[in-house]
Amino acid sequence: EAGVAQSPRYKIIEKRQSVAFWCNPISGHATLYWYQQILGQGPKLLIQFQNNGVVDDSQLPKDRFSAERLKGVDSTLKIQPAKLEDSAVYLCASSYTGSSGNTIYFGEGSWLTVV
Amino acid sequence: GESVGLHLPTLSVQEGDNSIINCAYSNSASDYFIWYKQESGKGPQFIIDIRSNMDKRQGQRVTVLLNKTVKHLSLQIAATQPGDSAVYFCAENRNPSWGKLQFGAGTQVVVTP
């Protein structure tokens, strides 16, 4: 089966600019996640969707980050304006449901460098 | 604070030997643990998982051991191969906050010929 698709794979922007990342989860997966992974660290959850509703966005810096999953399938993550510390890999992941035990599958990530 | 951590940042293993990667967790409410493998430039890849009501689970060439008494998790890789070179993360999940995986910093495994 096709995995989690993300684009773009790489992006370099200047601080204060904006950027958007796109994610297409595994077909049939109701739950979608965006994680941020800073170099040398483990991934950290930014936001979790169940279909088109937000389940958890407690760690999303809402003053500059936004995410949506309007039709319950694809999702976009936007950063505006970007800061230097936003340089990281943004990982999209999905699982069949949001219930315990459902394997979470990750995409290859979108690598962001803010200069 | 509560965290998932790894004892060794880098593990060098000779090809053919067994690897053991350790992980400590501090939240006794965690009920589900997962090991992920992350190769350079790629996203984390699911390896194996274990529920808190188990103490051992085996997969293909991998075994996960869970010791709830000391809050310790380990991943054993049998007959380590060059393709096993990667960063390995343990992650914990606390029901009902499913999905909010708490990752450790990772262990870099380097397989030498």
Side-chain angles (χ1 to χ4, degrees), chain B residues 41-61:
Chain B
K42 296 187 177 181
Q45 177 187 0
F46 173 87
I47 301 173
I48 192 167
D49 56 7
I50 188 167
R51 292 187 179 276
S52 59
N53 61 353
M54 303 170 67
D55 54 18
K56 181 180 180 179
R57 192 170 186 209
Q58 288 184 296
Q60 187 176 12
R61 282 202 306 119

Side-chain angles (χ1 to χ4, degrees), chain A residues 7-33:
Chain A
S7 68
R9 284 299 316 277
Y10 305 95
K11 192 75 175 179
I12 300 174
I13 62 172
E14 295 182 349
K15 59 184 179 183
R16 291 186 290 274
Q17 286 187 326
S18 63
V19 63
F21 301 115
W22 172 84
C23 173
N24 181 241
I26 293 173
S27 178
H29 281 194
T31 309
L32 183 146
Y33 317 79

Side-chain angles (χ1 to χ4, degrees), chain A residues 19-84:
Chain A
V19 63
F21 301 115
W22 172 84
C23 173
N24 181 241
I26 293 173
S27 178
H29 281 194
T31 309
L32 183 146
Y33 317 79
W34 283 101
Y35 280 79
Q36 179 194 57
Q37 185 176 21
I38 293 172
L39 186 65
Q41 299 181 16
K44 182 186 79 172
L45 181 69
L46 292 175
I47 189 167
Q48 176 182 346
F49 292 94
Q50 180 69 23
N51 295 310
N52 61 351
V54 175
V55 174
D56 186 339
D57 64 356
S58 58
Q59 298 189 107
L60 186 74
K62 299 180 186 65
D63 58 333
R64 298 182 299 104
F65 286 65
S66 65
E68 61 184 14
R69 193 185 185 200
L70 294 176
K71 296 183 179 179
V73 181
D74 294 3
S75 176
T76 56
L77 175 70
K78 297 179 181 178
I79 307 173
Q80 181 178 15
K83 291 186 175 181
L84 296 177

